[in-house]
Structures are given as C-alpha cells and as structure tokens.
Amino acid sequence: DVQLLESGGGLVQPGGSLRLSCSASGFMFSSYVMSWVRQSPGKGLEWVSAVGGSGGNIYYADSVKGRFTISRDNSKNTLYLQMNSLRADDTAVYYCAKPGYYNFLDSWGQGTLVTVSS
Amino acid sequence: EIVMTQSPATLSVSPGERATLSCRASQSIKSDLAWYQQKPGQAPRLLMYAASIRATGVSGRFSGSGSGTEFTLTISSLQSEDSAVYYCQQYNKWPPLTFGGGTKVEIK
C-alpha cells in the first residue's frame, strides 16, 4: 500500500523558516513527480510545488516562488519542502501527494500543520 | 492559469436523493479533470479522474461526466457518509495544478 507521512510542521514566527518532510513507501518513489498541496484553515486546496522523479524539473506556485524550495532524496524515499520568509498567509495544513498515471493526485499524506504567528 | 469554478457552494440533499455538483474550467481542459472528496479532519481522497473514471474502491453511486469546460459529479442516491466537501482539479495545463473552490454536500 502507498503510504505518505509528512512531518516537520509547527509554530513559527513571521519571517522564519521551516522544513517539511514526506516519507514515502509502497511505490517506486523515484518514478513519480511529487507535489505539495496546502489548505488554509477553513479554505480550499492550493497546489504549492512539484518536483520530477529525478529532481530535475521543479515547479512552484507564484505565491511561494522565491521563498520555498522543493527537493527530494530518492535514496531515502523522502520529499522535502524548505519554507523561508514565512508569512501569516502561509498558515495551512501541508499535504504531500503522489500522482496517478497523469497529474491527478491518487495518494495523499495525512498532512502537517504549519502555523505562522507571532 | 486555468481557473476552476464550482457550484453551488453548498448543496443540501435528502438521503436517497440525487446530488449534482458542477465544475467549470476557464478554458478547455479536454477530459483532464479529477474529483476529490474531503471529510472533516481528513486528507482529500481521489474519487474520479479523466472526468468519468472512478478511482479504485469508489462506490458506483458516484459518476462523472463532461469534457471541455463543463463537468458534473453525480451522487445517485445520497448516503450519510457522503457528507463532505468535493473539489474538482484540472491537470491539462500545468503548472499550476488548479482546484475549484469546493462544494459542501450536506444531508438534509
């Protein structure tokens, strides 16, 4: 079974940094583009970033470009999201997600909550 | 960026009745549309992809239709466990992947 387990969330002050991790199992991790999707409290889903299987192709939402960095370590089956210059509107549950045969997201982690507040 | 618009925002339906949810894309996305179900405190769950293909384990009460810019998710006979928020998502042109704002389905 596919399993995705996020970690690294927490409370951080505005302007601070946090690194999220997503540990993957049950599939050939290196063969898949992996995405981060976030959901602000009481709001809808927002795609944040994606990285190709080899780590070479990287994409960001405009709202996080220049502040967030996605990466992966295929030897550890782990996806990362380095978040810098955090703002209050980055407060959200962050999910990692795996695509199906195309970019619909067929598996999601349970999410990790990031709260940006002073 | 392709904008996805869902309607209505909230749908209240009696048990056993049909629920019809709509999703519109700002430009043609062919059939590159997915639907997700999200219950409180849970991660989204894939229901449908390619507009009309049910994901593994999804009840046959769920069906999807449409292509181009207009799409529909139908729940044929609403059960209490179907109470959730439903999101559509396009994957035809990305980045970015884009989601609709969601439709909350309530049981009357």
Side-chain angles (χ1 to χ4, degrees):
Chain A
D1 280 4
V2 172
Q3 289 199 10
L4 300 169
L5 185 62
E6 302 94 337
S7 60
L11 176 63
V12 61
Q13 292 188 338
S17 298
L18 213 54
R19 188 175 87 153
L20 306 183
S21 300
C22 172
S23 178
S25 62
F27 65 102
M28 188 69 73
F29 181 71
S30 61
S31 296
Y32 290 88
V33 171
M34 293 295 295
S35 281
W36 288 98
V37 176
R38 68 184 180 182
Q39 186 170 37
S40 299
K43 303 295 185 184
L45 301 168
E46 179 190 16
W47 174 82
V48 172
S49 182
V51 58
S54 64
N57 295 321
I58 288 177
Y59 312 94
Y60 297 103
D62 287 345
S63 57
V64 306
K65 204 172 291 183
R67 300 187 300 121
F68 289 12
T69 302
I70 192 172
S71 62
R72 64 193 297 160
D73 185 337
N74 287 342
S75 70
K76 296 181 179 179
N77 284 358
T78 302
L79 176 71
Y80 302 101
L81 187 67
Q82 176 67 44
M83 303 186 295
N84 298 331
S85 303
L86 282 161
R87 312 184 302 221
D89 63 358
D90 294 317
T91 293
V93 174
Y94 285 74
Y95 297 100
C96 68
K98 167 195 167 291
Y101 67 81
Y102 203 39
N103 280 308
F104 54 88
L105 302 171
D106 69 357
S107 298
W108 298 65
Q110 88 291 344
T112 188
L113 176 62
V114 172
T115 303
V116 184
S117 175
S118 54
Chain B
E1 172 177 330
I2 296 177
V3 177
M4 306 301 293
T5 303
Q6 289 186 243
S7 61
T10 304
L11 189 60
S12 186
V13 180
S14 300
E17 295 295 306
R18 178 189 300 259
T20 303
L21 290 66
S22 295
C23 175
R24 174 177 292 177
S26 60
Q27 61 185 273
S28 176
I29 57 170
K30 301 180 183 177
S31 296
D32 295 334
L33 184 95
W35 289 95
Y36 301 88
Q37 177 192 62
Q38 187 179 34
K39 297 181 178 180
Q42 297 185 14
R45 171 199 177 201
L46 178 68
L47 287 181
M48 315 285 301
Y49 60 94
S52 62
I53 300 176
R54 277 190 297 275
T56 302
V58 174
S59 168
R61 295 182 292 102
F62 292 88
S63 63
S65 64
S67 66
T69 62
E70 301 284 343
F71 300 87
T72 300
L73 176 71
T74 301
I75 311 172
S76 61
S77 178
L78 201 73
Q79 308 291 309
S80 58
E81 62 263 31
D82 300 331
S83 178
V85 179
Y86 293 83
Y87 295 95
C88 62
Q89 176 233 326
Q90 71 81 22
Y91 50 93
N92 180 257
K93 290 184 175 67
W94 78 287
L97 296 175
T98 49
F99 295 86
T103 292
K104 183 176 183 178
V105 173
E106 298 178 336
I107 310 299
K108 268 188 190 174

